[in-house]
Amino acid sequence: MSATPSPAPPGRRGTPPPAPDRGPLVVLIGPMGSGKTAIGRALSRRWDVPLRDTDVDIEEHAGTTIADIFLHQGEQAFRDLEHQIVAAALDEHRGVLALGGVGRRCAATPVSTWRSTRPAAARWSSWT
């Protein structure tokens, strides 16, 4: 005899957290290649909200790759652009936000600011 699984508690599986007054539902941080975009896509699909990846924003804004920005303009130019893009995304985006590889040192906005926007956002970083 197999047991029937009980339904997920309210606010869990498939249900996004309440929409914030400003800022994203969740912010994913971590080093390059840690799965931020993959997890972001899954959350975005599950909750039916948009996904925004700041690496994509940076490359679209610059018209080139991040690697080329580093190569031709230097790290400081990249960090300046990253600062602008991340600050705007934290203020404007209302879905799932992946912060590229800035997780360990995001100079754009103090961690306490985005943690206060959505406290659950800080939990993902403990996986990396």
Side-chain angles (χ1 to χ4, degrees):
M1 177 164 110
S2 66
T4 304
S6 60
R12 298 286 300 240
R13 187 178 175 109
T15 304
D21 292 335
R22 73 176 197 71
L25 288 173
V26 65
V27 175
L28 303 176
I29 62 171
M32 183 174 63
S34 61
K36 297 175 299 293
T37 301
I39 291 170
R41 282 187 193 123
L43 290 173
S44 176
R45 279 192 305 269
R46 177 167 287 184
W47 294 340
D48 194 27
V49 297
L51 168 65
R52 185 168 174 179
D53 185 326
T54 57
D55 279 351
V56 172
D57 290 354
I58 290 167
E59 289 181 342
E60 287 177 356
H61 182 84
T64 188
T65 66
I66 290 172
D68 281 345
I69 297 170
F70 270 89
L71 182 64
H72 299 291
Q73 299 173 36
E75 181 176 358
Q76 190 57 51
F78 170 76
R79 297 292 172 207
D80 292 345
L81 179 56
E82 177 186 52
H83 175 90
Q84 295 169 13
I85 297 293
V86 169
L90 286 168
D91 186 54
E92 301 165 358
H93 190 65
R94 300 294 180 265
V96 176
L97 179 62
L99 290 187
V102 311
R104 291 201 299 249
R105 57 177 252 188
C106 177
T109 302
V111 171
S112 59
T113 300
W114 64 261
R115 279 190 182 166
S116 67
T117 300
R118 180 65 46 214
R123 294 189 189 120
W124 183 84
S125 65
S126 65
W127 296 358
T128 58

